Amino acid sequence: MEEILAMKGITKVYPNGIVANKDVDFSVRKGEIHAIMGENGAGKSTLMKILFGMEQPEEGEIYYKGEKVILHSPNTAINYGIGMVHQHFMLVPSLTVAENMVLGVEPKKSSVLFDFEKAVQMTEEVSQKYNLAIDPKAIVEDLAVGKKQKLEILKALLRGAEVLILDEPTAVLTPQETKELFEELINLKNQGFTIIFISHKLKEIKQITDRLTILRNGRSMGIHETKAISEQEISRLMVGRDVVLKVDKQPATPGDVVIETKGLSYHDATGKPVVNQMSFRVRKGEIMGIAGVEGNGQGELVELITGLKKPSVGDIFIGGVPVKDLTVKEIRNLKTSHIPEDRMVYGVAAEGTIGENLISDRFDHPKYNGKLLQKVKSLISRSEELIKDYKVKCDGHTQQVNMLSGGNIQKVVVAREFSSDPKLIVADQPTRGIDVGSTEFIRRKLVELRDEGTAVLLVSADLNEVLELSDSLMVMYGGEIAAYFEDASQVDEMELGMYMLGLKTMEQHEMGGATGE
Amino acid sequence: MGSLFDIIFSANFGYAVLRVTTPILFASLGALISIKAGVVNISMEGTMLTAALAGVAISAYTGSAFGGLVGAVVVGMLLGLLLAYFALNLKTDIILAAIAINLMASGGTVFGLFVISGDRGISSSLASKVLPRIQIPILHQIPVLGPVFSNHNVLTYVAFISVALVYILLYKTPLGLRIRAVGENAHAADSVGISVKKTQYIALIMSGAFAGFGGAFMSMGYVSWFSTNMIAGRGFIALAAEALGMGRPFGVLLTSLLFGSADALANALQAFRIPSEFVQMVPYVVTIIGLVVYAQRKHSAAQKVRQEDRA
Amino acid sequence: MNKRVLFETIRTLVAIGVALLLALIIIFSVSDEPGYALERFLLGPVTNLRNFGNVLEMAIPLIFTGLAISVMFMAKQFNLGAEGGFFFGAVGATALVLTFNLPPVILPVAAIIVGALAGGLGSALPAVLKARMGASELVSSLMMNFILFWLGLFIINNYFRDAMAGAMASHRFPDAAKLTRILPGTRLHFGIFIALAMVVVVYLFLYRSRWGYALRMVGLNIRFAEYSGINTKSVILYSQIIGGMIAGMGGTVELLGMYPRFTWFQLPGYGWDGVIVAIMARNNPLLVPVFAFFLAYLRIGADIMARVTDVPSEVVAIIQGVMIMLVTAERLLAGWRHRMVVKEKMKAAEAAEVEGGGVQHG
Amino acid sequence: APAAPAAPAEPGAPAEPSEDALKVVLLLNGTLGDRSFFDSAHAGVQMIEQQFGAEVRTIEMSYDQTRWEPTLWEVSEQDWDIIILGTWQMTEYLEEIAQEFPDNRYIIFDTSVDYSVGDLSNVYSILYKQNEGSFLAGALAAKVTTSDMELSNDRKLIGFLGGMDIPVINDFLVGYIEGALYVDEDVSVYVSYIGSFDDSASGKENALAQYNAGVDIGFNVAGQAGLGQLDAAQEVNRYAIGVDSDQAMVFAESDPDKAELVLTSMMKRVDNSLVRAAEMHMAGTLPYGEAEALGLVEEAVGLANNDFFERNVPAEIRAELEELAEMIINGEITVSSAIGMSTDELNQIRDAVKP
Ligand SMILES: Nc1ncnc2c1ncn2[C@@H]1O[C@H](COP(=O)(O)OP(=O)(O)OP(=O)(O)O)[C@@H](O)[C@H]1O
Ligand SMILES: Nc1ncnc2c1ncn2[C@@H]1O[C@H](COP(=O)(O)OP(=O)(O)OP(=O)(O)O)[C@@H](O)[C@H]1O
Ligand SMILES: [Mg+2]
Ligand SMILES: [Mg+2]
């Protein structure tokens, strides 16, 4: 097969001095699905942004269909037929699907006005042509993530993309949605599209890609045939050592109840119950997993427990203390830790230093404060300890958090939350978008803490993660408990899927002791 | 003298409200466009002032009121361009750049006036022109409506028509779609090949143009001369009106009218021997009350949205 | 890190150079003695003690409003009420010194406290409206400036006006209220020490106290602060109230240091200057006095030029504006800086390659 | 004023033995071009230049208060025979600096230094009896509103448009009200304050509110902002009275129709008073160390007697005004002043004529 595009000797230095790509060679054949792999911060997104004209390299050349091209802006790239679906959605939330679709290539009527009807029609046409169904008149902020992903792909297709770059498209998708996406990608490949696919999930890579390129520390570790390379080899090339994702775990020895909810409900502004009559308990030294398709109330449940939202009905007890009317601070004082779902929104102050981010939960603790001023030295030494213990890759505690890669930012959050000697950890998607090395690290830590007697409530969209880490398991559907398994190791994946999709619901008596009254 | 009630429900009062509202409306529409594109233009005050001088000077020089208007608008656009250049190309903090423009305008106009007319206070020695008033044929004869709505300066009508034009621009044209996209998520706009910088340039230039209209109205419609510091805070009031207008052209119309009414009301209250300091406070107090009412509504709406977001 | 400081210094110097060049062009076009005018502009403030005293005198209120705005902006509260706070603080202080007959030292101290409270009161309303219902503090503080102005005038006019004075003016302040002059031949007063002390206090507050930490985190990411257990509403309140108090102190110090009685019947404009100073100082309290001095120097130099040469004082406003814009132009020389960074990093990266490992962060 | 030739210095003149010309500097704590006060002072200095061959210089210190004191210091150190400055805001600086430079001679207009604070024997203060001039303006307004002049109506309602509610402005107001009431007890006065001295648009708006309420003649005392009244007068075709300088002349050329409606202006003749002072200085008779209040007698205040006045104001009214002026000059009428009046007293006066 011919090479449709090639990048030669690409070097990129960000203004802050970070060398994101160094002398990278990269090429793609027409009609293949080509994976790019690498740890967080390896330079994958940067390389793709260069290919899409969003960043300019310091050195290097790009060839498209054999011709040397200079991509000054996304506009140029689009005109050549390169389309990109970004790691973070590039959508305008308040606009409709159709408006987002045609942004930049707006159809006009009477030569000045925007032709909305035409935009809707264009959207419908392209969505039918590629068999990706979407409602053109829906407002984007109302869409589920899966739909947003589809919209992003359609946007690229509408602009006539022949080469589609997908930067971690599956990170936020449910297994079902991922499956559907893969079908669509294969379909597109069969129609002659070339696809560049970034993912951290080895299984997915193995499943759909033809070849793969591995980046490590901004350098290319070569191009490989997917079939010809083992998972072990891939992770060795990526991280420089073998990675075991299977966490060794002894059976749990649960103790007293740490958290208990009784008839917990939360109604949104429209009065709809988003969390409905949930009663459950988690014990000391136990990891309880919560499985479920995203948007079934898991997020609200976590916010209710951690005090960011107040329940409409019902009670929550942590260590026997009713916490329904307590502030976030007071709940944290009961030794509750929280790994938030979206680290950039809640987990860190991106423009703050690593040190500042590591102390946000204990900055006012008497231990670190005099009468008026803080004990700066002890705060700094605490931060430095955490950076070392959690292997945060950085220059030191004064470095800004937004200069770290995603995985290292997550480590900052985890270090802060795990180090406060918690009795309860509420971990919401703790390894989302994190490379294998860091994932392994965080999972190990969770089990360690459990062994030390912490109760863990683990919410994850990654079924493997839930099944592997949980001692007991709960499935949420429509804000309610659809199933509860006292022993998570006995659960069958297919059966779990049935509960998650609401095809099946357990009766109260099946759930046994941990839930209900 | 009649009661306050009589004054407020007189045609003169209604007429005054529209006149007082005009410059504020122009400036707040300009502010609206810039804010929609994600670039706050708080140099409306200085831009209006400079445009007011330009209008007078050019109309005196060309002997044409229309020439003066065009000059004022062009000068407004140039100041928008200047702000855009510093903020977008040189990355000067846009608030700071705008404050600097206000500073330059307050001194520069005095200097400019001196160079042009030899005066430093008022341009009365220049035979500058005023923009015409317009009698609206049939409306003019209708009893109450005629005196309120007819016979205004042409720019008053332009201002009110502009509300609809800005609405069409923002919500019915490709450029408007781009402006809103750039303002809401510049990365998204960038990723589909829209030039964020170009769009923001256009928005700032347009906001300068509106300030230019506002300035021209002040010196060629409201009064018939330029005098130093004659904008007297209207550019800042317009920012408040914009902020209160819920980011909508018609919202901005309503809040500008609220200001205009409060101002006219303050004038009417002078007749009642209330301590003058309190009379002067009326427009600002009304604004804060408006802000509270609006915030209360938005607050509950936002809570609703936030809760829905999580759903 | 040192390279950065070096670069920033060079960039600032280049900016000032370009601005001066523009100034020179403007001066050339309006003056018959451009060389002398420019010389006076640049060196006038340091040619005699009184002129230099003028610079320091003017820096004092700028330091206060610069600090006030910095504290509020640091918490991302875009409260522009330093203008009204400064004015109303001075009104409060006037009320105190004309009402209570206290001994020296105690009287000015009490006046500063009352001034601070009055200034804080002024920004309390925008703060409460923001914290309670999310009302834009930008709008309400702009409006409050005008309300405080008229309220202040009402108070002075009705309760403290000197009927015998030919203009709107309060009674004379007792001597006990005045801040001592510290440098003979200038009007430089004790307020400069208060201002510098406030720089240190604000620095310690922001960077060394738990309240300052909470304030900064709210400014960086309010949702993160909330998630971390910080009481964000109280931060919204106290950041603005403290800002208003600092502005009110500034008004008091300026009034007692420079004026024999209250005579302001216009807002003095230091609030906007404070915004300029705070933005230039990037809200860093330690840089506030530097840029306050810079702005004061610029103004006094310009005054001297306007006074002794034929350059009209208004031209100076244009020069100032250009200078402020250029000095803060981040992109000025950005290309050069980027090339510098690239060169350095590439060298580092190559060196790392030789060792076989990868170093990304320099 | 008698045009003296370049007079040789009197032997008795204190500090100045020089043969060369009188050196006079004028400090303005504002800018030229106000068409009023500062312009008038500047004109006075120029008259001094022409009449006495003096060397003169005018320094505009702008409205920025921080510049005033340093400038006064600097000028005091230089070699001037007379340093002229004006307005109340400068008094306290002068009280301090004049004592530092006992050999300098200072003239301050429109205010007086407080001679009790120290040795100020080198300062001469000029006050203007604006209340006397305003009395005439009020009398004129009352005459006009009760007359059957072309643009006057049946109502006995006149307007006063002040810049801000502050003592100087109210001094005009008090004289104006007394003058109006002297003519006709039943006249009411619609009093508005613009709240600014530069917002001429707001001045116009306030004036229009007055005219629309039935005012047929108004008096503006608000600097530049007050000029808005003239625009308003033209719009509704009513009369206006200007202030400080001859405001009809502001528009006499560029907009004669507007000028036609400005019946007269109550002028403070800073120019006259400065020429008078310079002349007395040279004659060695200027009472340094004292304040003088100059009024109608010294021609330091008065109504502008221009073509418009003569053309548009009926002769008998003009004659009556002249009579009133005479009565003030010879003391038959004394006009009250707002300076020294409490806010309560002031309110009583304003409320009494409230429409
Ligand atoms: N705009 C930027 N400015 C400065 N540094 C950046 C910027 N974007 C990325 N970086 C840095 O460049 C390096 C490469 O980042 P990049 O986003 O390409 O990594 P990635 O391989 O996509 O990682 P991830 O898997 O976490 O998405 C990282 O160290 C990152 O912190
Ligand atoms: N300088 C300008 N002033 C005002 N409007 C402009 C200006 N430049 C472009 N526009 C408007 O912005 C919109 C987009 O312009 P642009 O030139 O970016 O379009 P384009 O990318 O070439 O796409 P198309 O040709 O499909 O419109 C158009 O509606 C155009 O009228
Ligand atoms: Mg990435
Ligand atoms: Mg009448």
Side-chain angles (χ1 to χ4, degrees), chain A residues 5-234:
Chain A
L5 87 94
M7 300 173 85
K8 298 222 166 104
I10 300 289
T11 294
K12 170 73 194 174
V13 184
Y14 278 113
N16 56 13
I18 287 176
V19 183
N21 292 140
K22 177 84 178 78
D23 214 5
V24 173
D25 290 339
F26 172 71
S27 68
V28 194
R29 292 184 193 140
K30 185 165 167 47
E32 75 168 333
I33 300 186
H34 190 121
I36 300 182
M37 303 200 65
E39 291 188 274
N40 295 118
K44 305 179 295 289
S45 298
T46 304
L47 190 68
M48 291 303 103
K49 281 182 191 163
I50 291 170
L51 187 52
F52 191 56
M54 283 186 113
E55 296 285 355
Q56 303 306 314
E58 265 62 54
E59 282 171 16
E61 290 163 356
I62 301 171
Y63 295 85
Y64 187 72
K65 294 187 176 164
E67 254 174 77
K68 185 172 166 186
V69 295
I70 293 174
L71 303 167
H72 330 267
S73 70
N75 221 356
T76 338
I78 290 168
N79 288 338
Y80 278 117
I82 301 172
M84 178 157 175
V85 174
H86 295 263
Q87 187 168 1
H88 305 285
F89 288 127
M90 292 287 188
L91 297 170
V92 186
S94 75
L95 300 185
T96 60
V97 166
E99 284 166 332
N100 268 284
M101 280 295 284
V102 301
L103 203 55
V105 290
E106 303 86 356
K108 291 179 195 163
K109 60 184 174 197
S110 17
S111 77
V112 283
L113 296 183
F114 172 58
D115 190 345
F116 181 70
E117 295 311 316
K118 183 81 192 298
V120 169
Q121 191 192 328
M122 284 162 70
T123 308
E124 274 165 355
E125 274 167 18
V126 70
S127 112
Q128 269 160 26
K129 181 167 166 197
Y130 299 104
N131 198 20
L132 292 158
I134 197 158
D135 172 11
K137 291 186 179 168
I139 303 290
V140 166
E141 62 194 339
D142 298 338
L143 295 183
V145 263
K147 289 278 183 201
K148 286 185 185 164
Q149 193 71 264
K150 265 188 200 154
L151 170 56
E152 288 280 27
I153 295 172
L154 284 172
K155 266 168 67 183
L157 295 173
L158 178 85
R159 286 166 179 75
E162 297 169 51
V163 176
L164 257 183
I165 306 166
L166 302 170
D167 193 350
E168 296 198 35
T170 57
V172 292
L173 298 186
T174 61
Q176 278 79 6
E177 285 168 331
T178 303
K179 203 168 142 246
E180 204 179 310
L181 173 72
F182 284 178
E183 277 162 20
E184 282 149 8
L185 292 184
I186 304 268
N187 180 21
L188 286 171
K189 172 185 159 178
N190 293 340
Q191 295 182 43
F193 287 87
T194 307
I195 294 163
I196 303 174
F197 181 85
I198 300 179
S199 173
H200 290 293
K201 298 178 184 164
L202 284 175
K203 221 171 96 185
E204 295 177 351
I205 304 279
K206 279 297 217 183
Q207 196 181 333
I208 64 159
T209 68
D210 300 305
R211 298 194 302 161
L212 54 88
T213 294
I214 295 175
L215 293 183
R216 179 162 142 214
N217 276 345
R219 289 179 177 74
S220 169
M221 306 304 287
I223 301 179
H224 306 266
E225 294 289 332
T226 308
K227 286 201 197 76
I229 187 168
S230 72
E231 293 195 12
Q232 243 67 31
E233 271 173 288
I234 293 175

Side-chain angles (χ1 to χ4, degrees), chain C residues 43-100:
Chain C
L43 300 179
V46 287
T47 41
N48 74 39
L49 181 64
R50 202 177 54 244
N51 290 347
F52 193 68
N54 291 156
V55 175
L56 297 179
E57 289 151 19
M58 184 181 254
I60 297 171
L62 298 180
I63 291 174
F64 279 105
T65 52
L67 287 175
I69 297 281
S70 293
V71 169
M72 299 191 281
F73 280 16
M74 189 73 113
K76 283 234 169 63
Q77 302 303 309
F78 291 107
N79 185 315
L80 298 178
E83 184 85 40
F86 190 89
F87 181 87
F88 205 61
V91 172
T94 302
L96 180 99
V97 300
L98 294 180
T99 310
F100 296 99

Side-chain angles (χ1 to χ4, degrees), chain B residues 1 7 12-13 15-17 19-20 110 117-128 133 218 221-232 234 263-264 266-273 275-277 279-280, chain D residues 31-35 39 60 155 157 163-165 190-196 198-202 204-206 208-209 212-213 224-225 227-231 234-235 250-251 253-255 258 346-347 350-351 354-355:
Chain B
M1 179 145 311
I7 296 179
N12 281 328
F13 186 81
Y15 185 85
V17 167
R19 179 178 48 212
V20 177
V110 178
S117 70
D119 271 325
R120 288 223 169 125
I122 178 167
S123 69
S124 57
S125 63
L126 297 176
S128 63
R133 293 180 182 216
M218 288 302 293
Y222 211 140
V223 294
S224 53
W225 58 74
F226 171 84
S227 63
T228 52
N229 197 19
M230 73 183 302
I231 307 302
R234 286 175 179 80
D263 212 359
N267 292 341
L269 282 177
Q270 300 257 14
F272 297 91
R273 294 261 352 98
S276 76
E277 291 91 350
V279 172
Q280 305 294 349
Chain D
T31 57
L32 284 178
D34 66 340
R35 296 264 166 171
D39 282 354
E60 299 163 81
R155 297 193 49 188
L157 180 61
M164 284 171 104
D165 187 357
Y190 187 141
V191 182
S192 306
Y193 298 94
I194 300 167
S196 155
D198 15 61
D199 190 347
S200 45
S202 184
K204 177 175 183 180
E205 204 60 58
N206 275 288
L208 280 171
N212 287 330
Q224 217 162 268
L227 293 173
Q229 188 192 47
L230 312 190
D231 237 23
Q234 187 180 30
E235 193 161 319
V250 173
F251 294 102
E253 278 178 22
S254 61
D255 196 347
K258 196 177 288 167
L346 203 58
N347 281 338
R350 287 186 289 212
D351 289 343
K354 183 183 142 188

